[in-house]
Amino acid sequence: MKSFRGFIIKEFYHIFRDKRTMLILFGMPVIQLVLFGFAIRNEITDAKISIVDHSNDYITLEIKQKLLSSGYFLLQDDIDKDSDIEAVFRKGVVKEVIVFEQEFAQRLLRDGSAHIQIIADASDPNTANMLIGYTSSIIQDYQKSLKNQSSFLPQILPEVKLLYNPELKSVFMFVPGLIALLLMLVSALMTSITITREKELGTMEILLVSPLKPFQIIVGKVIPYLFLSFVNTATVLLLARLVFGVPFNGSYGLFFFEALLFVITALSLGIMISTISKTQQTAMMIALAGLMLPVIILSGFIFPVSSMPWPLQVFSNIVPAKWFLIIVKGIMLKGIGIEYLWKETMILAGMSLIFVSVSIKKFKIRLQ
Amino acid sequence: MNEPGYAIRAEQLTKRFGDFIAVNEITFDVKQGEIYGFLGANGAGKTTAIRMLIGLLSPSSGIATVAGFDVYKETENIKRNIGYMSQRFSLYEDLTVKENIRFYGGVYGLSSSEIRDKTDFLLKKLELEHARNMLISSLPLGWKQKLAFSIAVIHDPKIVFLDEPTGGVDPITRRQFWNLIYEASSKGVTVFVTTHYMDESEYCDRVSIMVDGRIAALDTPRGLKRIFHASSMDEVFLKLARPEKVGDI
């Protein structure tokens, strides 16, 4: 019994000695609980919408007020032409547009029915579904309140239109997210592991004493993974297209350029992880906890960023995958080009520049 | 450039890590073609000294040249002129013998035909021809070590640095390993070797013994034994490393 107790105590020593493992062991549950608790929300608040009101009468005004005071919606842009709707969606901020037909009140009260068009950005099918649900129920409520005012039952006929993903296939949402996840996984995780492996084996020292320059060692280590991650991306795209019918509406050239930016960011994150971890095991834990979790939870892959509490929304801005996802969804599903995506592209490019220079600097410092 | 005839010169070379002085003003030189034994107990500062000479660490103060190049400014030139075998094993376990030779040959800028010739020559010399396509991980430690040494000098460097190359190897293999060192030395390669096997230090032309970051003694093995009135290098080492204790015995 005494020897067994000693054995358990030794095991505890192992755990307490390794600071990084401790941090992950005890920090992870807290972080995960907070992240999942706050990020995973089924309700959506303050979704940005636009309204095209061709009628501008007291009923459309009442409906608009009801919608905007519900807490679910925020009015983003007021547009007055149907032709502007497409452009509003391309910008990516507005998730839903509501269109009232002409002479709305007249038709409703005189003819007994009027049309209202609900157009949603279904590149994120869950959000689209929920927004349409909210809108419909608010309109129905309003319709019921009219019943008390008149003898017959006026009908507001909603006409739902789903842009970019008319069948609300969730695979449309998962493919861009999966591409981001795979690229992050192959690039950052594999790079950090392969560099720490050379450190563990002692071959890194031999390489550093050789005429190879540190820069060449880094670049040489990451190029195979750059290549591999592109093979992976192409495979996912091909499968998504052939098996699930996910469209690719934009330019392949732009797509692979953006993917390259994202991969460079991920590779330099991998190099940074390798400079702070001594063993492959530590590198793997840091990469999984520090990179995978944000990609899955904070990038908008599964949970819409707009309905997270503001601290998480602010934090999500430094997650490269968030910007990459906006870009990929834009190119694949909306078919938009750089003229709509330049802002996200600049942010991604800026991030890769920062991470590359920091990682090269850290790698050099390690040599001293 | 300093005068020819010296492969390595160090003058008051020092490395501090914060308050800790790992290497304290060591001064020595190594002649071309010499086998120089760099001895010392664990933690005496041998590895730190070697790392400064091969350009992995920048010295805190002092002067040193390796193959005529300054260790502060000309590390790139130093790297081209030296071979290095670390105390940790340094071949890729998941590559074959041939692939390892090709990789390191390529890193040191050998042409494909040179690498081919060297591979054949080297495998024949080490009697490893049958193991050409075997993974390193399947070779016994002694063979790996001999192979690692041969690869460290594959580009015919002026100086080869060996950091405890024979750790964990049986006496017969150690003997064979030293034959490889002699052979390289006879071809004019300067050998700078650290070890804590005192019998090995007898094979060196000259040895220095480091104690607590300083060079406590430097001479030929015979000279050291005479100065310290010792019958073996073992005894010399014990007198230097723990002088007061030896006196107590």
Side-chain angles (χ1 to χ4, degrees):
Chain A
M1 200 56 211
K2 211 173 169 188
S3 57
F4 183 63
R5 209 184 68 185
F7 180 70
I8 291 176
I9 291 172
K10 163 204 154 265
E11 219 46 50
F12 271 113
Y13 282 145
H14 285 315
I15 297 167
F16 293 141
R17 283 293 134 77
D18 187 353
K19 294 270 159 24
R20 289 203 177 90
T21 309
M22 276 263 284
L23 202 69
I24 289 166
L25 213 58
F26 293 108
M28 269 305 262
V30 177
I31 292 170
Q32 276 184 335
L33 185 71
V34 170
L35 279 183
F36 278 105
F38 283 117
I40 304 180
R41 291 192 160 187
N42 285 320
E43 71 271 29
I44 293 171
T45 51
D46 294 343
K48 307 273 189 344
I49 61 166
S50 287
I51 295 173
V52 187
D53 192 345
H54 292 304
S55 187
N56 264 323
D57 53 51
Y58 79 98
I59 288 191
T60 62
L61 202 69
E62 272 180 15
I63 296 178
K64 275 194 269 183
Q65 269 168 358
K66 225 171 142 62
L67 283 169
L68 295 176
S69 61
S70 66
Y72 295 129
F73 305 108
L74 273 182
L75 189 62
Q76 179 71 16
D77 293 310
D78 238 333
I79 41 180
D80 40 10
K81 291 197 298 285
D82 283 348
S83 52
D84 291 343
I85 295 173
E86 190 80 14
V88 162
F89 276 118
R90 285 179 172 220
K91 276 190 209 152
V93 180
V94 168
K95 298 297 172 200
E96 188 184 73
V97 173
I98 293 164
V99 187
F100 294 98
E101 70 173 340
Q102 283 177 343
E103 300 168 355
F104 193 84
Q106 274 184 18
R107 282 177 199 228
L108 190 66
L109 299 175
R110 192 188 59 207
D111 307 342
S113 68
H115 286 94
I116 188 166
Q117 216 182 5
I118 307 168
I119 310 167
D121 176 349
S123 60
D124 180 349
N126 290 345
T127 308
N129 224 351
M130 268 191 276
L131 292 181
I132 291 165
Y134 294 153
T135 316
S136 308
S137 68
I138 290 169
I139 292 170
Q140 255 170 24
D141 266 2
Y142 180 76
Q143 191 180 295
K144 273 184 202 147
S145 74
L146 286 177
K147 193 182 166 186
N148 308 330
Q149 292 173 25
S150 60
S151 50
F152 64 100
L153 179 69
Q155 283 200 306
I156 299 172
L157 304 171
E159 190 184 299
V160 174
K161 197 174 162 194
L162 298 163
L163 282 185
Y164 311 124
N165 182 5
E167 291 165 64
L168 281 179
K169 284 186 178 169
S170 52
V171 70
F172 282 28
M173 176 178 82
F174 280 118
V175 166
L178 210 59
I179 291 173
L181 193 64
L182 268 177
L183 290 183
M184 194 48 107
L185 196 74
V186 175
S187 311
L189 183 67
M190 295 307 284
T191 306
S192 62
I193 290 179
T194 179
I195 295 178
T196 36
R197 184 165 70 189
E198 297 243 16
K199 282 206 266 180
E200 257 180 77
L201 287 176
T203 42
M204 185 55 93
E205 211 174 61
I206 305 290
L207 294 179
L208 291 172
V209 176
S210 79
L212 284 172
K213 296 188 171 59
F215 180 74
Q216 290 175 313
I217 296 174
I218 295 188
V219 175
K221 287 240 71 143
V222 303
I223 280 179
Y225 294 96
L226 191 78
F227 174 73
L228 275 181
S229 54
F230 274 97
V231 173
N232 268 331
T233 312
T235 313
V236 172
L237 278 185
L238 202 71
L239 277 179
R241 183 110 205 219
L242 297 180
V243 181
F244 297 106
V246 180
F248 194 101
N249 295 321
S251 134
Y252 282 100
L254 181 64
F255 174 82
F256 279 102
F257 168 73
E258 303 280 1
L260 182 70
L261 277 184
F262 184 64
V263 167
I264 291 173
T265 314
L267 288 173
S268 40
L269 282 171
I271 296 166
M272 264 158 77
I273 291 174
S274 75
T275 58
I276 55 171
S277 24
K278 284 201 190 78
T279 64
Q280 295 178 61
Q281 199 192 357
T282 317
M284 197 160 93
M285 277 169 94
I286 295 178
L288 285 177
L291 300 179
M292 298 277 288
L293 211 60
V295 173
I296 296 174
I297 297 178
L298 294 175
S299 68
F301 175 9
I302 301 175
F303 315 110
V305 175
S306 56
S307 47
M308 288 173 195
W310 70 266
L312 285 187
Q313 287 199 32
V314 171
F315 186 76
S316 76
N317 287 330
I318 61 162
V319 176
K322 176 194 166 174
W323 305 103
F324 183 62
L325 263 185
I326 295 174
I327 293 169
V328 173
K329 280 185 182 176
I331 296 174
M332 282 184 70
L333 304 177
K334 300 184 186 173
I336 56 181
I338 191 79
E339 66 275 18
Y340 288 101
L341 296 169
W342 64 270
K343 201 183 89 190
E344 287 80 8
T345 307
M346 293 286 280
I347 292 173
L348 206 56
M351 281 182 168
S352 30
L353 200 69
I354 292 170
F355 286 136
V356 166
S357 39
V358 170
S359 63
I360 288 178
K361 205 170 166 193
K362 280 210 81 164
F363 191 78
K364 276 193 181 149
I365 287 169
R366 216 190 60 77
L367 305 184
Q368 289 310 305
Chain B
M1 294 288 283
N2 53 351
E3 65 264 48
Y6 287 106
I8 304 171
R9 307 202 74 172
E11 236 175 88
Q12 299 189 308
L13 194 65
T14 301
K15 182 69 192 181
R16 281 183 215 93
F17 296 106
D19 287 339
F20 175 66
I21 303 174
V23 173
N24 195 353
E25 299 190 345
I26 57 172
T27 300
F28 67 94
D29 47 48
V30 180
K31 293 187 198 97
Q32 264 171 25
E34 192 174 27
I35 299 176
Y36 187 89
F38 200 64
L39 313 188
N42 294 329
K46 295 185 307 256
T47 300
T48 307
I50 266 204
R51 291 173 76 89
M52 284 193 279
L53 294 175
I54 61 180
L56 279 184
L57 266 178
S58 189
S60 304
S61 61
I63 308 166
T65 58
V66 173
F69 298 108
D70 182 45
V71 294
Y72 291 93
K73 292 183 216 126
E74 297 171 302
T75 50
E76 292 307 315
N77 286 327
I78 291 175
K79 286 175 182 178
R80 248 185 289 280
N81 284 290
I82 62 170
Y84 174 55
M85 182 178 163
S86 81
Q87 60 194 101
R88 282 197 295 171
F89 187 64
S90 52
L91 299 178
Y92 290 94
E93 298 268 329
D94 54 348
L95 299 186
T96 64
V97 172
K98 194 175 101 186
E99 287 163 344
N100 265 289
I101 299 174
R102 189 166 59 199
F103 171 72
Y104 281 111
V107 163
Y108 281 95
L110 267 54
S111 72
S112 311
S113 63
E114 278 176 309
I115 292 172
R116 225 178 2 254
D117 294 345
K118 287 265 183 188
T119 307
D120 292 338
F121 173 74
L122 209 147
L123 291 178
K124 200 167 183 181
K125 190 175 79 181
L126 296 175
E127 293 168 7
L128 275 174
E129 279 159 309
H130 62 286
R132 180 185 288 259
N133 292 314
M134 276 164 70
L135 293 179
I136 293 293
S137 57
S138 64
L139 298 181
L141 181 66
W143 289 10
K144 290 185 198 173
Q145 228 101 346
K146 283 185 277 183
L147 190 63
F149 174 77
S150 305
I151 288 176
V153 294
I154 193 165
H155 54 296
D156 299 319
K158 290 191 180 135
I159 308 161
V160 61
F161 288 86
L162 307 172
D163 193 5
E164 292 180 13
T166 52
V169 180
D170 64 75
I172 299 166
T173 312
R174 267 168 59 199
R175 186 69 237 192
Q176 292 170 336
F177 191 90
W178 272 90
N179 283 338
L180 289 175
I181 294 182
Y182 277 134
E183 195 194 308
S185 170
S186 70
K187 280 195 256 164
V189 178
T190 308
V191 180
F192 186 94
V193 56
T194 75
T195 177
H196 45 226
Y197 293 112
M198 286 307 135
D199 58 323
E200 283 187 352
S201 65
E202 311 259 7
Y203 306 149
C204 300
D205 295 326
R206 281 192 307 152
V207 296
S208 64
I209 299 178
M210 266 187 100
V211 179
D212 294 335
R214 290 176 172 280
I215 289 184
L218 196 173
D219 207 331
T220 58
R222 181 178 297 193
L224 284 176
K225 280 185 276 190
R226 197 178 56 237
I227 296 164
F228 288 91
H229 306 292
S231 59
S232 70
M233 282 303 290
D234 233 12
E235 230 183 296
V236 174
F237 188 76
L238 284 172
K239 281 185 176 172
L240 270 169
R242 300 191 192 84
E244 70 287 356
K245 277 189 189 162
V246 173
D248 286 345
I249 290 167

